[in-house]
Amino acid sequence: MNRRLMVAAGGTAVGAALLLSGCGGDGTTSTENMKLSADQALLKTSQKTGQTDTFKADLTVTGTGEHGGKIHADGRFQLRPELKFSAKLDEFSSNGRTVPGAKGQALFTDNVLYAKVPQLAQFVSGGKPWLKIDVNQMAQRTGFDVQSLLQQVQQVDPAEQTKMFTGSKDARRVGTETVDGVKTTHYAGTVTVQDALNQLDAQSREKVSKWLPKDRANSKINFDLWTDGDNLPRKLVSKATGPQGENGTVTVLYSDYGKSFSVNPPPSDQVGQLSLGGMLGGN
């Protein structure tokens, strides 16, 4: 699957991420929402979501073309005051075939990343199932920037996604629908990559522009957004088409806004260190 296409389709897709804060609602569609235009509703959703800090997300990415396939992952995320998450990748296929050893789990807390990925097992000291990576130590010792990988988690931040969608010039209200038992209002539209970036502040724009296809600034992303009575996203579907006609679709289901959760490291006797020598073919 073309990675740039998938990321563009998600607007801010993957890397596990999402948000919420203490603003969970009853999911009813308010009268106020019914009166808002699509543009106003997207802006309000962006503002409300930007106040949230924690959430649960279920992510599905599909693509067609030479590297077509499917990815499914879910997890719980906290973006503020510090990043922590617990995520699981339970499906990874390419051209209809499951990619061996690609499934796994990831935990991040106190600036330490724990990963359980069969593909990496041979590079973990002591044959342990869990790999431990101290983000700061890894950067100091190897120069490898783990933070850049962690930023990918934040690509599914619903606040950034909805803010980018406010750049749409054809957003419209589709109607009311129920998503996972929650009453929602459905909006749809398109936005170009450049118009999406223009909605972000300088810091966010710099971060997001690293994974959006700069060479396709005028390319359009099609989106559908379902928001609940508290103006929080409950479902987001983004689609994009690549230069060779390949398609990418990202679907994210959001829930559990504002609910606190704990990320507990695996038992110490199940954790090993990364063997860089093994990865590089050394002794």
Side-chain angles (χ1 to χ4, degrees):
M1 220 177 317
N2 186 298
R3 180 179 179 277
R4 287 162 67 84
L5 173 63
M6 291 193 305
V7 173
T12 26
V14 138
L18 308 68
L19 25 43
L20 15 97
S21 102
C23 51
D26 60 6
T28 58
T29 302
S30 67
T31 304
E32 180 184 9
N33 280 3
M34 301 291 287
K35 296 179 180 178
L36 293 175
S37 69
D39 292 341
Q40 292 172 325
L42 288 176
L43 179 59
K44 189 163 187 176
T45 295
S46 172
Q47 294 170 339
K48 188 65 178 287
T49 310
Q51 300 169 7
T52 64
D53 298 320
T54 61
F55 58 89
K56 180 179 180 181
D58 182 291
L59 172 76
T60 302
V61 182
T62 59
T64 64
E66 181 180 358
H67 302 290
K70 182 178 180 181
I71 297 172
H72 178 264
D74 61 68
R76 292 182 177 274
F77 303 85
Q78 173 183 291
L79 300 187
R80 289 172 294 273
E82 62 277 325
L83 177 66
K84 69 175 181 179
F85 62 82
S86 173
K88 176 180 65 177
L89 175 66
D90 57 16
E91 183 173 358
F92 196 125
S93 63
S94 179
N95 293 320
R97 297 182 179 181
T98 299
V99 178
K103 299 178 182 179
Q105 295 175 258
L107 307 173
F108 185 77
T109 183
D110 296 328
N111 224 30
V112 176
L113 175 67
Y114 300 89
K116 186 178 183 180
V117 182
Q119 262 190 344
L120 296 178
Q122 59 183 315
F123 305 120
V124 182
S125 62
K128 305 295 185 180
W130 284 91
L131 166 66
K132 177 182 179 180
I133 300 177
D134 184 293
V135 174
N136 293 329
Q137 290 182 9
M138 175 65 74
Q140 293 171 0
R141 293 176 181 177
T142 70
F144 181 67
D145 186 10
V146 182
Q147 287 288 358
S148 63
L149 295 180
L150 295 175
Q151 286 180 359
Q152 307 239 348
V153 171
Q154 298 172 328
Q155 288 179 10
V156 268
D157 177 347
E160 282 191 354
Q161 289 191 17
T162 52
K163 191 169 186 178
M164 292 167 68
F165 293 159
T166 61
S168 173
K169 296 177 174 61
D170 60 6
R172 65 192 185 281
R173 180 179 179 276
V174 178
T176 57
E177 300 171 22
T178 299
V179 175
D180 284 344
V182 177
K183 293 180 180 179
T184 68
T185 301
H186 179 188
Y187 301 95
T190 64
V191 63
T192 66
V193 170
Q194 189 59 59
D195 286 341
L197 289 173
N198 289 344
Q199 307 311 307
L200 303 176
D201 59 42
Q203 183 177 1
S204 297
R205 185 163 55 249
E206 180 181 3
K207 180 181 68 174
V208 173
S209 62
K210 293 178 180 179
W211 48 264
L212 275 178
K214 304 180 188 63
D215 56 333
R216 299 183 59 209
N218 294 320
S219 297
K220 285 190 176 182
I221 299 171
N222 296 272
F223 66 87
D224 288 84
L225 176 68
W226 290 258
T227 65
D228 64 17
D230 290 319
N231 296 108
L232 293 171
R234 288 290 175 168
K235 182 179 179 180
L236 188 154
V237 177
S238 303
K239 300 179 181 180
T241 301
Q244 273 72 53
E246 68 273 29
N247 297 310
T249 301
V250 177
T251 301
V252 188
L253 296 172
Y254 298 102
S255 61
D256 289 357
Y257 283 103
K259 291 187 178 181
S260 60
F261 64 96
S262 299
V263 176
N264 300 313
S268 57
D269 62 352
Q270 298 294 307
V271 177
Q273 301 292 328
L274 181 66
S275 173
L276 292 177
M279 290 189 70
L280 299 175
N283 297 322

